[in-house]
Amino acid sequence: MNNPSPALPKFAFDNSFSRDLEGCFVECNAASAKAPKLLQLNHALAEELGLESAALNTDGGTSVFSGNVAPDGAAPLAQAYAGHQFGGFSPQLGDGRALLLGEVIDVHGQRRDIQLKGSGRTPFSRGGDGKSALGPVLREYLIGEAMHALGVPTTRALAAVSTGETVLRETPLPGGVLTRVAASHIRVGSFQFFAARGDAETVRRLADYAIARHHTDAADAKNPYLAFLEAVTEAQAALVAKWMSIGFIHGVMNTDNITISGETIDYGPCAFMDSYAPDTVFSSIDTRGRYAYGNQPDILGWNLARLAETLIPLIDPDKDRAIEILTDVISTIPVRYDAYWTAAMRRKIGLNTEQEADGELIGGLLTAMHQGSADFTLVFRYLAKAVRGDAIPLRGQFAELSAINAWLEIWRARLAEENAEADARADAMDRINPIYIPRNHHVEEALAAAVEHEDMSPFEALLAVVSQPFDEISGQENFAEPGAKTTLPYQTFCGT
Ligand code: AMP
Ligand code: MG
């Protein structure tokens, strides 16, 4: 890296990963970008990280966010990880196009990683160029920030730059770098990398580090590594239930894209479902529908079983006994997931109390939505209008009315058993059922304007509404509407 010429913003780095986990990474510098331009800076997140956003919105900030200059105290490194991709194991993946600059402690006392994505080749790049196209950088920025606003644990976007260079994909595309912030970048695949090499000692060091950083209660348990697996299981079950409750499809739930912290990571081919159909798949490479909307809870269990396998030597010297103990935890995943899902869905349909038959009631609505090709987001949003006395917008979402009409009667009877005032109930529903999600056609329009015409205004308009997804803004109704139904299904592509 060159000597800094512009004044550089200050980061109070405290780099525990590089200090404590020798052997889990390779030190590496970013490539330089020819003519970087800061396209987007997340001022609120900068403040949360204890950074001065005015100092970031400068030539010095642009140099840092493009990878041209490493700020003082940074210890850039590429992390090692492996992973099961679409079910097949790759023993060596790693940060092939990302660099951890370092960690800062945010204003809440939380340790956060600051990482560049798209900053050039690393020893893990294999055949890749280590770069990112600008479109996927902006997509990750937008959808990650929408997820955060929706209350979903997620990595965040601090900045997006265009590099002024072209990256070669199927066609030449403008390049970009995303500055990503995460609770950490440790993945299920991080454990798999060392387990696959028979290096149980490094698996143990990684587990100790992850316990201290993310799941501190596990340290006091009788068996800390088992408690660790349980804690990751809880965090991931809660996460996937959140995804399901907002119609989010991650699209590439490979074990290298599953965090130990429980944050959503790696927004590649992800997208939100419009009409409810459990077999919805958007990713062009997910030809068998492994990561379809309705499969996500099962894949959660499959992925955590892969984490459990890496912990076998840490659990019991008797391998069979260790497997038995770990399997007991893995077998609880459907029940844990279901508890989060049912709780979330109860709130979405306005229930304040629990009854045995609620699962059936929720299932009944989903069946009616499937039969009636109803829009997932708007159905839940319009349920609150029905609580307020107007069921017409809700019915308007259904192509077929008999099922939803029957359901509405059962639902109303169930609501009547609760002692709740209609307005208060509807208001509570509006605080969890969004009106704005990043609709696929709007995302595409915003990215096309930014990438093809260097016009960031559609991106910024969309970012503004999805950053306040529960507040209806007059004049912005268009952002609430699903795109026209087309004969060709919507397709997404991996963020490379
Ligand atoms: P992903 O599918 O984006 O989660 O990435 C899977 C693996 O491919 C990771 O090890 C990435 O670092 C690597 N990778 C993806 N794109 C590139 C690229 N353009 N250059 C080098 N490595 C890449
Ligand atoms: Mg990944």
Side-chain angles (χ1 to χ4, degrees):
M1 292 197 186
N2 304 323
N3 274 336
S5 37
L8 289 184
K10 300 235 176 315
F11 294 78
F13 284 120
D14 177 65
N15 303 328
S16 67
F17 194 94
S18 76
R19 200 163 53 225
D20 298 348
L21 289 173
E22 179 81 56
C24 297
F25 60 86
V26 182
E27 286 175 14
C28 185
N29 286 327
S32 60
K34 206 161 58 190
K37 241 171 54 188
L38 184 58
L39 296 184
Q40 210 52 220
L41 176 65
N42 191 335
H43 295 270
L45 179 59
E47 302 294 327
E48 193 180 314
L49 295 175
L51 305 171
E52 239 183 84
S53 63
L56 299 176
N57 198 6
T58 58
D59 288 349
T62 307
S63 301
V64 169
F65 295 137
S66 63
N68 275 353
V69 181
D72 279 350
L77 60 86
Q79 294 183 353
Y81 55 84
H84 277 88
Q85 300 183 303
F86 291 92
F89 187 61
S90 299
Q92 178 158 328
L93 295 169
D95 287 331
R97 55 168 164 164
L99 280 182
L100 177 64
L101 285 184
E103 301 147 30
V104 297
I105 309 296
D106 73 13
V107 296
H108 310 296
Q110 299 297 314
R111 181 175 291 276
R112 314 277 287 270
D113 278 7
I114 300 182
Q115 192 206 53
L116 301 182
K117 188 170 172 187
S119 55
R121 287 181 54 79
T122 78
F124 298 107
S125 296
R126 296 167 290 157
D129 59 4
K131 301 286 175 75
S132 286
L134 180 59
V137 164
L138 293 175
R139 196 163 205 285
E140 174 154 359
Y141 194 118
L142 184 72
I143 299 189
E145 289 308 295
M147 292 286 274
H148 172 70
L150 289 165
V152 184
T154 177
T155 63
R156 305 283 308 276
L158 179 59
V161 298
S162 59
T163 57
E165 287 165 9
T166 296
V167 297
L168 208 56
R169 296 297 179 259
E170 274 162 25
T171 53
L173 297 169
V177 179
L178 178 75
T179 303
R180 177 161 79 178
V181 174
S184 87
H185 284 83
I186 304 172
R187 306 140 191 269
V188 169
S190 313
F191 288 80
Q192 291 183 287
F193 183 93
F194 298 100
R197 285 158 180 75
D199 183 355
E201 217 24 66
T202 305
V203 173
R204 182 188 302 275
R205 280 200 295 140
L206 206 49
D208 289 340
Y209 177 91
I211 289 170
R213 187 159 172 182
H214 299 299
H215 303 294
T216 46
D217 288 351
D220 303 324
K222 203 169 98 215
N223 188 334
Y225 303 113
L226 191 64
F228 168 66
L229 178 66
E230 283 194 296
V232 177
T233 298
E234 280 293 316
Q236 279 291 336
L239 178 68
V240 175
K242 282 243 179 200
W243 292 355
M244 297 298 285
S245 76
I246 53 172
F248 176 77
I249 305 171
H250 184 280
V252 61
M253 288 176 75
N254 293 335
T255 57
D256 52 306
N257 292 338
I258 305 300
T259 59
I260 294 303
S261 67
E263 285 184 344
T264 313
I265 197 169
D266 276 358
Y267 294 93
C270 63
F272 285 78
M273 181 168 59
D274 291 316
S275 295
Y276 173 70
D279 61 355
T280 304
V281 172
F282 292 119
S283 171
S284 60
I285 59 169
D286 192 4
T287 46
R288 294 185 178 188
R290 178 180 173 89
Y291 301 135
Y293 170 80
N295 280 358
Q296 295 184 123
D298 284 347
I299 293 292
L300 158 80
W302 195 91
N303 285 340
L304 291 169
R306 305 290 78 76
L307 176 64
E309 283 166 0
T310 71
L311 302 174
I312 290 170
L314 279 51
I315 297 295
D316 197 286
D318 175 350
K319 188 174 170 188
D320 290 339
R321 178 78 193 117
I323 292 173
E324 211 176 294
I325 293 169
L326 289 162
T327 305
D328 280 348
V329 173
I330 295 300
S331 64
T332 64
I333 293 171
V335 174
R336 290 178 202 246
Y337 166 78
D338 218 59
Y340 285 110
W341 157 260
T342 307
M345 296 308 282
R346 266 197 190 102
R347 287 194 300 276
K348 282 177 80 75
I349 64 170
L351 302 182
N352 302 314
T353 55
E354 296 178 16
Q355 284 188 19
E356 197 57 36
D358 292 344
E360 216 175 297
L361 184 67
I362 294 159
L365 176 58
L366 293 172
T367 303
M369 287 163 66
H370 195 189
Q371 283 170 7
S373 302
D375 183 80
F376 187 89
T377 304
L378 290 181
V379 162
F380 290 103
R381 184 71 184 192
Y382 291 165
L383 275 177
K385 290 189 196 282
V387 167
R388 292 191 183 97
D390 180 9
I392 293 170
L394 175 74
R395 286 204 178 91
Q397 292 303 313
F398 289 80
E400 198 277 308
L401 280 173
S402 59
I404 189 62
N405 284 339
W407 185 84
L408 282 170
E409 274 191 39
I410 305 170
W411 175 61
R412 288 208 175 99
R414 171 70 177 84
L415 294 185
E417 288 171 29
E418 291 186 354
N419 215 343
E421 201 243 319
D423 273 344
R425 190 197 300 276
D427 289 349
M429 293 166 77
D430 280 347
R431 286 195 295 274
I432 51 164
N433 292 322
I435 179 78
Y436 303 119
I437 53 162
R439 296 275 180 184
N440 299 321
H441 60 300
H442 289 128
V443 173
E444 295 301 323
E445 281 163 18
L447 299 190
V451 172
E452 290 162 28
H453 307 292
E454 297 184 31
D455 176 7
M456 289 295 289
S457 49
F459 178 95
E460 282 164 8
L462 180 55
L463 180 63
V465 294
V466 299
S467 297
Q468 284 189 297
F470 304 110
D471 305 331
E472 267 164 73
I473 307 165
S474 121
Q476 306 285 40
E477 293 77 9
N478 145 57
F479 283 114
E481 292 301 320
K485 288 207 169 92
T486 52
T487 43
L488 286 179
Y490 179 65
Q491 268 207 328
T492 56
F493 301 89
C494 271
T496 54

